[in-house]
Amino acid sequence: MKRTLISLLLAVALLISAVPAFAETAAVDETPYTIHYVSSRNATDAFMLCLEEIVSMYQKTHPNFKMEIEYIPERASFLQKIKILGASNELPDWFDADPDNYIESLANEGYLTDMEELYKELGVNDRFFNISKDYARLNDGRLFLFTWQCNAEYFFYNKEHFAKAGIEKTPETFDEFLTACEKLQQAGFTPITVGDVTGGMFLRYMAFLPFRMQSNKYIEDAVKGVQKFADEPGIKAAEFMQSISKYFPEGFTTSDYDTFVNLFTSGECSMMYNGTWVLQSLVDENMKLKDQFGVFTMPKYTDADVTNQSDYFANSGIGTAILKDSMNDQMKSFMKFLFDNYADLLITKYNSIPSLMPSSTEGVPEIYLKVMDDANKVNTFAKCWDVVIDTSSLDTLNSETVNLALGVTTPQQWAAALDTAIAENNAG
């Protein structure tokens, strides 16, 4: 996983040199064929706009091909729909999913396509970034989801604010991070933008210290009841949340995602923790990171950390499963076309980082090259708490973490509520 982006691109050059940009594939079968896709994304997401354009491209040589996409971006509603369809044996050809227990059970029952086998059959296995495959694997290493993105997560910061507050370098430890927050506040700035508190980004602040202390082992154990949220990593996380909450903007509990980002881009807040999907809001007309913005990665906690500075949140986003019974020659023809065209189109037209390597890095903005290289160097990626925890306990995690940040509950009360929820929802 420590191969550089350049070496990876060289390694796959022979595989893709024969494939022209936006290649057209000869029709396999002219009979009508439709792929039904239930997605948890928004129709305006760059990945979905790119997919729909590729469908239109493919239809030029396959006029009888259709893709019907149902968008259900509200997570709870989406998960409920998928579970209902699964219970009635009516799952769609494609559906979005995380590598959780539900996907593992479907895979064990033989319902899903083995994506690694498909990648090898189509000759694209070596074109996917490591994180784009590894993030979507089950705990036993099997791969039943394909992914659309390659993301790294950073603290974005306002260089002008840092300079006015007398902060000469970006924080390398969480103690330095808290000191920077205090200096920014004293200089008259709101240090950290926070919003969308039921989204995963807010919960990242809870995950930072436990990940440095025990890697992913802590959250994996805690959601099984093997460790407790009342154990040291959980209490340290809760104390950290209360330490930084005084640096959040007023009304953060009611801010949506757009407000969360706008507070940073407008200069009202000095720092924003976010994934690289936000880059479209931070670059200029030449796709360069605007001069006033900089980035730094997750700080370390102590010298006893079990994870390295190159280990942090990097991901490929939610994946997509394909029913095994739906994988025929027509499906494979479209998948090959998708994989041959998606990366170049997404990065050049939709300014987003794909799960596959582009055929060339010529003209790719520096910040995008940095993200791809950084993500590929991650040895251990931090797991998102909202994905690891069972869905029944997620509401408790969300609500109690907000109460913690507001000072309504103590770290000990937060931990007790989580441990009770885990025990009740996973009994038997």
Side-chain angles (χ1 to χ4, degrees):
M1 291 191 64
K2 292 187 176 180
R3 295 176 297 174
T4 65
L5 174 64
I6 299 300
S7 63
L8 281 168
L9 289 170
L10 289 173
V12 301
L14 292 176
L15 289 174
I16 63 179
S17 61
V19 181
F22 314 136
E24 293 190 357
T25 305
V28 171
D29 192 332
E30 291 304 324
T31 58
Y33 183 67
T34 301
I35 293 175
H36 297 273
Y37 178 17
V38 178
S39 177
S40 62
R41 306 169 199 276
N42 288 294
T44 55
D45 285 356
F47 319 105
M48 296 297 96
L49 294 174
C50 185
L51 171 62
E52 291 188 2
E53 182 168 346
I54 287 175
V55 168
S56 296
M57 292 163 54
Y58 188 72
Q59 287 172 330
K60 292 178 180 178
T61 52
H62 297 74
N64 292 319
F65 172 81
K66 293 181 181 179
M67 175 170 279
E68 297 177 352
I69 306 177
E70 180 182 356
Y71 294 100
I72 310 177
E74 205 281 311
R75 182 174 174 82
S77 299
F78 170 79
L79 292 173
Q80 182 181 34
K81 170 99 177 198
I82 293 300
K83 295 291 179 65
I84 291 173
L85 291 174
S88 57
N89 200 28
E90 295 179 351
L91 284 169
D93 302 307
W94 291 15
F95 60 96
D96 289 341
D98 289 304
D100 54 19
N101 291 338
Y102 182 64
I103 288 300
E104 183 175 15
S105 66
L106 292 177
N108 290 341
E109 293 170 14
Y111 286 112
L112 303 181
T113 296
D114 185 315
M115 293 310 305
E116 202 141 38
E117 289 184 2
L118 180 67
Y119 290 166
K120 292 175 181 177
E121 181 179 349
L122 299 181
V124 299
N125 191 48
D126 291 334
R127 291 175 55 192
F128 279 86
F129 289 107
N130 290 324
I131 192 66
S132 301
K133 291 189 292 186
D134 293 343
Y135 185 79
R137 294 186 188 279
L138 297 174
N139 289 334
D140 61 11
R142 292 178 297 165
L143 183 64
F144 292 94
L145 304 172
F146 76 90
T147 57
W148 301 92
Q149 312 169 45
C150 173
N151 294 311
E153 295 180 8
Y154 299 97
F155 280 98
F156 297 91
Y157 71 98
N158 189 306
K159 294 179 180 178
E160 297 170 0
H161 290 197
F162 270 47
K164 290 179 180 178
I167 304 170
E168 298 180 354
K169 66 182 183 69
T170 55
E172 296 180 0
T173 68
F174 279 107
D175 283 343
E176 291 178 1
F177 177 78
L178 291 171
T179 299
C181 288
E182 184 62 24
K183 288 182 177 181
L184 288 163
Q185 191 173 71
Q186 291 177 355
F189 301 114
T190 300
I192 309 170
T193 179
V194 170
D196 192 25
V197 294
T198 60
M201 302 313 299
F202 182 67
L203 293 175
R204 298 293 199 271
Y205 288 93
M206 298 299 299
F208 289 149
L209 268 57
F211 177 69
R212 287 290 183 235
M213 295 171 73
Q214 292 191 13
S215 189
N216 292 311
K217 184 178 187 300
Y218 173 72
I219 188 59
E220 291 171 345
D221 284 351
V223 299
K224 297 174 185 175
V226 176
Q227 291 195 64
K228 300 295 184 183
F229 285 94
D231 290 344
E232 183 184 11
I235 296 299
K236 290 292 185 183
E239 291 173 345
F240 178 70
M241 174 61 84
Q242 289 203 322
S243 296
I244 63 171
S245 60
K246 62 183 177 181
Y247 303 120
F248 295 164
E250 291 186 10
F252 72 89
T253 60
T254 58
S255 294
D256 60 16
Y257 179 81
D258 289 338
T259 302
F260 156 61
V261 174
N262 289 339
L263 284 172
F264 177 72
T265 58
S266 66
E268 294 183 54
C269 292
S270 303
M271 290 186 286
M272 172 181 67
Y273 184 82
N274 210 337
T276 45
W277 52 83
V278 79
L279 282 175
Q280 295 176 73
S281 299
L282 305 179
V283 295
D284 60 21
E285 64 277 6
N286 297 315
M287 300 308 296
K288 292 181 63 178
L289 195 65
K290 293 178 181 178
D291 291 339
Q292 69 266 38
F293 299 139
V295 302
F296 61 92
T297 55
M298 185 197 301
K300 71 176 184 178
Y301 180 42
T302 70
D303 290 338
D305 290 350
V306 303
T307 55
N308 298 319
Q309 287 296 95
S310 60
D311 297 329
Y312 42 82
F313 282 97
N315 62 70
S316 53
I318 192 169
T320 301
I322 303 178
L323 289 185
K324 191 172 184 179
D325 287 347
S326 299
M327 185 54 67
N328 55 24
D329 288 343
Q330 290 171 300
M331 174 82 78
K332 290 177 183 178
S333 173
F334 175 71
M335 296 298 293
K336 183 66 165 67
F337 186 88
L338 172 66
F339 294 147
D340 284 345
N341 293 284
Y342 176 70
D344 288 341
L345 184 61
L346 186 73
I347 203 166
T348 58
K349 182 172 181 178
Y350 294 97
N351 303 319
S352 295
I353 301 172
S355 52
L356 298 89
M357 304 165 205
S359 61
S360 171
T361 59
E362 184 177 355
V364 176
E366 182 179 353
I367 186 62
Y368 287 85
L369 290 175
K370 172 180 171 56
V371 172
M372 290 187 285
D373 198 32
D374 283 353
N376 207 52
K377 289 178 179 177
V378 172
N379 284 315
T380 302
F381 59 86
K383 291 188 177 181
C384 308
W385 282 22
D386 56 312
V387 173
V388 178
I389 197 168
D390 66 276
T391 55
S392 298
S393 301
L394 180 58
D395 285 344
T396 302
L397 176 61
N398 284 328
S399 61
E400 290 302 318
T401 302
V402 170
N403 288 337
L404 184 68
L406 291 173
V408 175
T409 60
T410 67
Q412 290 72 24
Q413 290 170 330
W414 171 86
L418 262 296
D419 286 330
T420 298
I422 292 295
E424 291 177 350
N425 294 322
N426 295 277

